Amino acid sequence: MVINTNYPTNGEFYAGHFYSGTSLSSDGKTELGPGSINDLSKYTGKLPNNLDPMFISPTAFSPAITKSLAETQSLRGNQGETYHYVMGATKADEFTDNQLNSIFNNNEYKTAFTNKAYKKSNGETAHLGDIDYFKDNGVVNQSSGIQNVTTVSDYYDNLTASTYDSEGNITGYKLAVFNDAIKSVTVNSQMVKDPIWTSPSLIQININMDETKTNTGVVAVDIDGKANNGIFQNSEEVSINLLNYDSSKEKIPYIILNYHNFNQFNFENTSIFRVSAYTSEQVKRDKPDVNQFYLKDDRLNLSSTKDNAQRYNTASHIINNFNTITGGEDSTIQINNDKTDDGFSFLGTLLAPHTNISVNSTTTQGVAGNIVTGRSLYLLSDITADNAFSANFNSDGDFPGTSDLEPDANTPPRILSIDLPDNVSFSPENATTHYKFEFSLNNNIQVDPESQTMHRLDGRKVKNTFNIEQPANSSSNLWSRMNDGQWKKYEKEAIAANDQDSAQTTQLSIADVTEDLKTADGKDNYDDQTLYDGGQIDASYDVDGQQKAFIGQHLLHRNKISFIVARKEDDLSTMSQEEIDKKYSNTMAVYTLEVHGDLLVNYPKIFDFGTTYQLGTSGLANNEFRVAKGQINVENPYYLDWKLLVKNTTTEIQNNPLLLDSATDFNAQLYNLVSDTDDTWLPGAFVNLGSLKATGEQTMLVLSTEPDNSVDSNWTEVQPTSSMQFYKTDVELKFHTNRADGYVKRTGSYKLNASWELTTPNIIKK
């Protein structure tokens, strides 16, 4: 631990090594001058009973720290008493007389330092293993001290664990566990911004208290840095709302925040840590939504820098557990906050066994709480005695422990994983970890390229296979709901009962969730057939050297699907949502299914007539011609009505041989699929669509599922219907060279231009 001794420092300290300096890289070779450490002489509050010894290390102190402890104002109590230090794991770690002489230039300070060493009952100098707390926890040296920190952090982290691998590593987390003083806990699953401070995003936690209870609440909450597209990874604000809170009979609950999947955590001058409480009347008046910023002027502010006693008490009830952050030489957790404004104080114990921590806060409001790490800590902070001891975790001694949060025999069944089409699989963590999966019904990978987010749907069925863990000697049912509708029991197939004395895994498959979850009443649990607009699309691409283009519209159906495997005796259709959340929020699986079905027209970008034609090489009597061929393909997976308008938009029309009267024919041949289950096409009649003319803009072709008077009678046989998921027509331009010979007045390069326009009358939601 590196202490900036230019600032007064107060608290209870344990570290493997103590140095004085201005950064984490300080190693004792270049140190600051001595400063005050734990001068409590002016502190008017009550100090902890077990405060002595208050400065402990299993190794020898650096010279600057040694000098600081020898100062008259260091290790000084508010009743004139002197507190003590413990240095070293054994007698071998004590300073020799020569070492002390090299550190101190006079005997007064040398004597002051040696007199502040903590003594055993027999008068001998105590070492680490002689202190009851460390002895009880098996801490006898630096490595066992680090292991103790890790063990504590692991224990808290395991409170929100749901699944483990064969080696005991956590592979899944549940949202929260809590005792009966709390009804429910929610965490935002969408990005929420603070409009007051315009922070990038925030972590908002709503804790719904049980007003009928007077015991102290305890809750452990999982904060997943990767969940919901990583919205928490760069958050600059933590906002905790205690709902239905009665301060006259309830104490602030103890809150353990388990952060995982975070690369770093920085609390800067723009960062906020806010705890607010609202009565039941306030909650009824302004109903909170965890995915909407919630902060009311008449709240009970439990984190105000204008009320230090309240702020320190709140901080003493919070643990920020960063169990999975690991860091090298640089600190991956930084508290760099010098603001004194309300809300800008980091609150609670910071527990991070595997990474370095750097605290740069020269104001007394910057940090309130303990800092515990198994790596290195740099401390530059004006920590008052009030802060050091009042914000100490469980400073009021009311922590009821976490035994009520540990797994018990009433553990509900849970979904271990869900397998979706195209080898997509996920392990749901909890109700607020919201997943989204995209599948495409289109065949054109140029439009919807396969990627980590876009998957191909073979056929139209969205099969779900559930891997379920059943508790010992239990029976369960699968319940589902669509788009936050009513919970419905899945009746088509039952989950096999578990009659064993240990938990067992089983599988259940639903062939198509958008069809098989529909219910006979027809009132709810139907998939949402709303078409959502993903934007207009057009582009060019090559297929085997042929230049093609497409136009169309991104379209999709979007459905939020929720699943719970509940004990057989629980009827979710009669339970309130609050009752369901309390019992099953940690085992609920929620995901959004987006099925893309783009309306697409693929057409030839260039009609190639082949070799160059030389005028005058064919006689009028010969029926010579050049043919340019192409194909129009339409994908219509949602069976929409559509209209395709093709126009000749050639502007260079004078003396253009392609536009001479009857020189160029436009022909088409429709193909029909034998069935939707194979790729066999039957050709239809070959239809002449007419000739191109030198009359300016000309409609060449209209294809419409709802033909009107714009559809020429010549085009009837190639018209589509909305029931065609796939439409295919061969088209050709036939240039009669013999008809051009007598009329063309100059040689040169000539071309045709065409416009392609696709529309649909169906309602599409933006």
Side-chain angles (χ1 to χ4, degrees), residues 281-297:
E281 289 75 17
Q282 290 172 309
V283 170
K284 289 175 184 176
R285 183 195 66 205
D286 300 304
K287 190 173 182 180
D289 179 347
V290 76
N291 287 317
Q292 298 291 327
F293 180 69
Y294 193 76
L295 184 69
K296 305 302 175 184
D297 291 337

Side-chain angles (χ1 to χ4, degrees), residues 531-534 553-556 595-599 638 640 764:
L531 276 174
Y532 291 92
D533 182 13
Q553 190 163 12
H554 269 314
L555 301 170
L556 58 99
V595 179
H596 293 241
D598 301 334
L599 178 60
Y638 286 135
L640 306 181
I764 298 173

Side-chain angles (χ1 to χ4, degrees), residues 614-625:
Q614 184 176 349
L615 289 173
T617 59
S618 62
L620 290 176
N622 298 325
N623 187 22
E624 293 191 8
F625 54 83

Side-chain angles (χ1 to χ4, degrees), residues 332-343:
T332 50
I333 296 180
Q334 298 189 43
I335 310 297
N336 300 324
N337 174 35
D338 285 325
K339 277 199 172 184
T340 58
D341 303 57
D342 190 25

Side-chain angles (χ1 to χ4, degrees), residues 80-317:
E81 71 274 37
T82 298
Y83 286 103
H84 302 88
Y85 65 81
V86 170
M87 185 182 75
T90 66
K91 188 174 180 61
D93 297 312
E94 295 179 19
F95 288 131
T96 65
D97 198 56
N98 286 337
Q99 287 174 317
L100 287 173
N101 289 333
S102 68
I103 295 173
F104 297 106
N105 56 14
N106 66 63
N107 287 329
E108 180 183 351
Y109 280 102
K110 174 182 172 182
T111 302
F113 175 75
T114 56
N115 286 343
K116 292 180 182 180
Y118 191 70
K119 300 295 194 297
K120 294 188 289 186
S121 58
N122 62 3
E124 294 179 356
T125 299
H127 301 104
L128 188 67
D130 299 318
I131 310 304
D132 289 342
Y133 170 82
F134 293 96
K135 187 189 303 181
D136 294 343
N137 288 278
V139 178
V140 295
N141 52 34
Q142 183 178 354
S143 61
S144 58
I146 293 172
Q147 182 57 50
N148 181 253
V149 172
T150 302
T151 300
V152 173
S153 177
D154 287 349
Y155 172 78
Y156 288 134
D157 198 43
N158 276 277
L159 292 175
T160 52
S162 61
T163 56
Y164 300 84
D165 63 17
S166 59
E167 297 180 354
N169 300 308
I170 300 173
T171 56
Y173 292 83
K174 45 197 170 187
L175 172 65
V177 288
F178 40 87
N179 66 0
D180 63 359
I182 295 169
K183 284 186 175 181
S184 62
V185 176
T186 54
V187 180
N188 58 303
S189 59
Q190 302 172 17
M191 182 170 288
V192 177
K193 294 191 175 184
D194 181 342
I196 301 172
W197 293 102
T198 63
S199 62
S201 63
L202 60 87
I203 300 168
Q204 184 163 257
I205 304 166
N206 287 354
I207 301 175
N208 185 18
M209 307 299 296
D210 189 336
E211 296 173 282
T212 65
K213 301 294 173 58
T214 57
N215 56 311
T216 302
V218 183
V219 57
V221 184
D222 176 61
I223 310 295
D224 184 356
K226 286 186 178 179
N228 307 306
N229 298 317
I231 59 174
F232 297 149
Q233 193 66 245
N234 297 311
S235 293
E236 290 191 1
E237 182 172 339
V238 177
S239 181
I240 300 174
N241 298 313
L242 305 182
L243 307 177
N244 300 305
Y245 178 77
D246 186 347
S247 60
S248 67
K249 63 179 183 180
E250 291 178 296
K251 292 187 176 181
I252 298 172
Y254 285 85
I255 303 168
I256 301 164
L257 303 179
N258 284 329
Y259 302 79
H260 78 281
N261 287 330
F262 280 79
N263 299 322
Q264 60 183 17
F265 185 86
N266 295 334
F267 195 84
E268 307 288 348
N269 271 332
T270 55
S271 302
I272 297 172
F273 202 122
R274 182 186 290 120
V275 181
S276 307
Y278 299 90
T279 65
S280 57
E281 289 75 17
Q282 290 172 309
V283 170
K284 289 175 184 176
R285 183 195 66 205
D286 300 304
K287 190 173 182 180
D289 179 347
V290 76
N291 287 317
Q292 298 291 327
F293 180 69
Y294 193 76
L295 184 69
K296 305 302 175 184
D297 291 337
D298 58 349
R299 72 190 185 280
L300 175 59
N301 189 347
L302 300 176
S303 53
S304 174
T305 53
K306 299 175 182 177
D307 185 350
N308 281 335
Q310 178 63 75
R311 180 166 61 96
Y312 295 153
N313 181 53
T314 300
S316 72
H317 285 232

Side-chain angles (χ1 to χ4, degrees), residues 532-552:
Y532 291 92
D533 182 13
Q536 299 290 326
I537 47 176
D538 61 88
S540 301
Y541 61 100
D542 289 344
V543 177
D544 298 328
Q546 182 183 8
Q547 295 187 53
K548 301 195 71 174
F550 62 79
I551 56 174

